[in-house]
């Protein structure tokens, strides 16, 4: 079944606040095999001009995937048939330990490509104080729709 085109342009309420911790940053860096000391050593991060350890550039995927868009049954998304098409990030500043962030997502595109459905979700990630950290662009493909 095709994805519901009525969702194009739909924005979803901000997610619950997520506190970025040194532990989560280190676990993520371990999972991707990146030994960069800026992700692990507070003194190294401070020496590089950061107030605390920073997260790897792809870390926002951890907080941006919990958006309500993918869970809405009216979208008609068969999650079992979803593959990740593309992910990119545009940064205002690095995400760092101590940030408490929320994500606001908007479905910006849905289109058919052969027997597949392509959907693009843009997510703004901000601190609870309103400081913009980054925008993510997540393209997913539902195969055989």
């Amino acid at each position: 079944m095709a994805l519901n085109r009525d969702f194009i342009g739909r924005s979803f309420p901000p997610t619950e606040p997520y506190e970025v911790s040194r532990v989560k940053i280190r676990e993520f860096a371990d999972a991707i095999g990146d030994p960069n000391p800026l992700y692990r050593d507070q003194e190294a991060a401070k020496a590089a001009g950061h107030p605390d350890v920073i997260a790897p550039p792809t870390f926002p995927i951890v907080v941006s995937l919990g958006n309500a868009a993918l869970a809405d049954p009216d979208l008609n998304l068969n999650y079992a048939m979803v593959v990740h098409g593309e992910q990119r990030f545009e940064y205002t500043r690095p995400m760092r330990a101590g940030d408490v962030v929320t994500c606001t997502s908007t479905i910006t595109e849905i289109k058919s490509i052969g027997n597949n459905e392509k959907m693009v979700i843009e997510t703004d990630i901000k601190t609870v104080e309103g400081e913009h950290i980054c925008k993510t662009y997540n393209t997913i493909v539902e195969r055989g729709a």
Side-chain angles (χ1 to χ4, degrees), residues 39-102:
Y39 309 148
R40 303 161 187 286
D41 182 339
Q42 190 175 21
E43 294 310 313
K46 285 182 178 180
H50 303 287
D52 207 327
V53 297
I54 60 171
T58 55
F59 183 86
I61 196 74
V62 171
V63 295
S64 67
L65 280 182
N67 73 57
L70 300 178
D72 191 318
D74 292 334
L75 178 60
N76 299 328
L77 179 67
N78 179 353
Y79 210 82
M81 299 303 290
V82 167
V83 294
H84 194 245
E86 178 186 5
Q87 184 75 49
R88 91 184 144 89
F89 306 87
E90 291 178 357
Y91 275 88
T92 303
R93 70 155 172 86
M95 189 174 284
R96 56 187 176 234
D99 283 335
V100 179
V101 300
T102 61

Side-chain angles (χ1 to χ4, degrees), residues 122-140:
E122 294 181 12
T123 301
D124 281 306
I125 301 176
K126 298 179 180 181
T127 66
V128 292
E129 295 83 21
E131 181 184 8
H132 189 266
I133 294 176
C134 73
K135 177 175 258 190
T136 71
Y137 300 84
N138 182 10
T139 301
I140 63 171

Side-chain angles (χ1 to χ4, degrees), residues 17-40:
Y18 177 92
E19 184 171 354
V20 180
S21 71
R22 287 185 199 114
V23 169
K24 289 296 180 188
I25 290 171
R26 185 176 57 248
E27 289 173 350
F28 188 86
D30 287 345
I32 63 171
D34 193 332
N36 189 329
L38 296 180
Y39 309 148
R40 303 161 187 286

